[in-house]
Amino acid sequence: MRNRPMWWCGVVMMAALVPTGAWAFAEDVCYPLGAGTVANCTNLPSSCSLREPTSARCRAESLAVLTNAPSQFNGGRSVVHSDATYLLARAVGFSFSDAYWIAAYNEATDLGQFIPRDIHGQPVPEAAALTTVDISGLVRTDLKTGGVLYHYLAPRSGGSAVPFPGVNGLKPEVNDADTEGMLTHIRAWAMAGTGTTAPLCTAGLTVPSPGGDLSTGPACYTDDGGQSVPVRGLIGLFGVAASIPFTLATGTQVLSVSSDGSTPNVLATGFDAWVGGSSAHVEDARLGIYLHALGDRISHHVCTDQAVVAGPNPIDGGFREDFIGYECGQGLHALRHLYEIGVDFSQLSPQDRTTIAALSAVYDELVVFARARGVLLDVATTPAFKAALIEGQLLPALQTKDVMSRLNQLSATACSRGWSPFPGSPGCPAK
């Protein structure tokens, strides 16, 4: 067999060593290891065009961008999950506090915990009061708790292992519990606001609902004997042969994982007490987690549209979720995240315009939740208002390659509307 070039071999080794990174709207604002200011850490390699198909070299170098970032920077944040979500929430009527916590828990779903930091990577002065609790059980790399499935959301096809025909994760049907099972499951939990009436379950699997779906039932899934069943699957690295297996058990979702095993894991049934504060604060946290899942469903749609949740199977009553094949390869996965920030979205293949789709979907869902909470601004329901914010301000900022210019434009959006910028971003100019 012909030898691979060295750059390819290095990337394969990195992918094998790094826990499966279900990056979605990857961290683009990265903090310096020492002195300095934030840097853009999602630069598209020069070997890549803005339209698919792309070369093997492009895909490998794109993966290297994301796998190398942890050693080059001191963490970071995604402005789509944080800053932009905050601005969208403010626009529909949420207060500064509510909008901030919605955005903070959106980002914490990737990071495990969100601490706001300034452009030098230092915690903001009020950081202690603005830090989320630990929700490490939901992070994208956790295969033991099923956290990865809050980032890779597969549609369902009536228990069949055949993808649902015509499913379009670029515009997911958030109320279709039969097809978008995991998404509607998290949404129902967020819409409940507080309490345990709507459960949060591993893989989003519940006992049958009154409508017959396995997503919005009153309790987490068990077999007829009341026992948990396995959920098995594969996360692809390079095709089918190179993949990472996972095995879960249905039941209540693990929310926070003990770092040293000295204390029990926190389960989702204890979410409200774990987050603490007012009922509005709990509702904000739940909404942020749901909006993250929605964004990731869109971000990963080319892969996940071809995946399914199959089961219960007749052998052990378990379920199967596989994210494998060409479209789920990690090089292509990484490339599509580099397409989501700092490039001209109009030049991308239609399937890769996920930032545009995600901003629109998140805005629409914020309208729904703001209405339910009695804070919706009437003007926020008009197409012109939405377009002025997203098309007129947010999308130009997110297509800006220079990270400080990007942050300045996002702050200017807030300032122009009389809002405080997202904590840690540049402030409004003195009047």
Side-chain angles (χ1 to χ4, degrees):
M1 184 176 70
R2 189 173 61 182
N3 291 332
R4 295 282 192 184
M6 288 304 296
W7 52 265
W8 175 270
C9 296
V11 171
V12 170
M13 290 176 65
M14 283 188 291
L17 293 172
V18 175
T20 305
W23 307 283
F25 298 107
E27 289 79 60
D28 55 291
V29 175
C30 283
Y31 306 117
L33 288 171
T37 56
V38 292
N40 182 55
C41 44
T42 54
N43 291 303
L44 187 70
S46 60
S47 61
C48 298
S49 67
L50 287 176
R51 295 188 75 86
E52 295 191 53
T54 56
S55 67
R57 183 178 190 118
C58 164
R59 298 191 295 274
E61 290 181 348
S62 296
L63 180 58
V65 169
L66 297 188
T67 54
N68 287 337
S71 65
Q72 297 173 341
F73 302 101
N74 184 25
R77 73 176 189 264
S78 158
V79 294
V80 174
H81 285 317
S82 54
D83 305 52
T85 297
Y86 163 78
L87 294 170
L88 293 170
R90 293 293 338 249
V92 304
F94 284 102
S95 67
F96 165 82
S97 177
D98 288 329
Y100 170 75
W101 287 113
I102 291 167
Y105 275 95
N106 185 328
E107 183 70 334
T109 309
D110 262 345
L111 305 181
Q113 185 175 50
F114 180 71
I115 303 171
R117 292 194 270 172
D118 63 22
I119 62 170
H120 303 290
Q122 299 302 308
V124 300
E126 64 276 23
L130 294 174
T131 296
T132 67
V133 299
D134 177 90
I135 54 171
S136 53
L138 304 181
V139 298
R140 58 198 177 194
T141 55
D142 201 321
L143 299 178
K144 294 180 180 179
T145 66
V148 68
L149 299 181
Y150 285 74
H151 307 268
Y152 275 120
L153 291 83
R156 298 181 184 160
S157 187
S160 168
V162 178
F164 191 85
V167 68
N168 181 15
L170 196 62
K171 296 181 179 180
E173 297 290 341
V174 298
N175 289 308
D176 186 349
D178 290 315
T179 301
E180 295 290 347
M182 184 68 175
L183 191 60
T184 57
H185 175 75
I186 305 170
R187 186 180 193 267
W189 173 76
M191 187 60 77
T194 60
T196 57
T197 302
L200 188 66
C201 306
T202 303
L205 290 165
T206 70
V207 297
S209 74
D213 65 79
L214 299 180
S215 309
T216 60
C220 296
Y221 189 87
T222 60
D223 62 18
D224 292 341
Q227 300 298 308
S228 296
V229 301
V231 180
R232 300 183 177 90
L234 296 170
I235 303 290
L237 290 175
F238 303 100
V240 179
S243 56
I244 298 176
F246 64 88
T247 300
L248 310 168
T250 58
T252 302
Q253 175 64 42
V254 173
L255 176 67
S256 177
V257 179
S258 173
S259 59
D260 58 7
S262 62
T263 57
N265 292 338
V266 177
L267 300 181
T269 45
F271 184 88
D272 298 5
W274 182 246
V275 171
S278 66
S279 59
H281 184 61
V282 172
E283 291 170 359
D284 294 339
R286 292 191 183 201
L287 177 52
I289 292 167
Y290 163 62
L291 293 178
H292 188 101
L294 173 61
D296 281 15
R297 172 67 180 103
I298 294 168
S299 177
H300 291 140
H301 81 98
V302 182
C303 163
T304 55
D305 281 357
Q306 299 184 19
V308 293
V309 181
N313 68 62
I315 299 174
D316 61 5
F319 292 81
R320 182 96 203 170
E321 296 194 41
D322 290 329
F323 304 89
I324 53 178
Y326 174 79
E327 298 292 359
C328 293
Q330 292 304 306
L332 193 53
H333 175 192
L335 170 64
R336 288 173 177 149
H337 291 321
L338 301 187
Y339 281 159
E340 291 175 329
I341 199 81
V343 303
D344 182 350
F345 299 150
S346 70
Q347 299 301 308
L348 298 172
S349 302
Q351 67 181 16
D352 293 328
R353 297 172 190 173
T354 51
T355 303
I356 299 171
L359 292 182
S360 179
V362 167
Y363 183 94
D364 290 346
E365 284 295 85
L366 282 164
V367 167
V368 172
F369 279 78
R371 180 182 287 114
R373 291 174 62 173
V375 299
L376 179 65
L377 298 175
D378 289 342
V379 69
T381 64
T382 64
F385 183 85
K386 177 184 177 181
L389 174 65
I390 295 178
E391 298 171 22
Q393 293 180 297
L394 296 186
L395 288 176
L398 298 179
Q399 293 174 91
T400 302
K401 183 174 182 179
D402 179 74
V403 70
M404 280 306 304
S405 295
R406 187 183 311 147
L407 290 175
N408 282 326
Q409 288 181 63
L410 291 169
S411 290
T413 297
C415 300
S416 71
R417 293 168 177 265
W419 313 325
S420 299
F422 187 75
S425 289
C428 295
K431 295 181 178 180

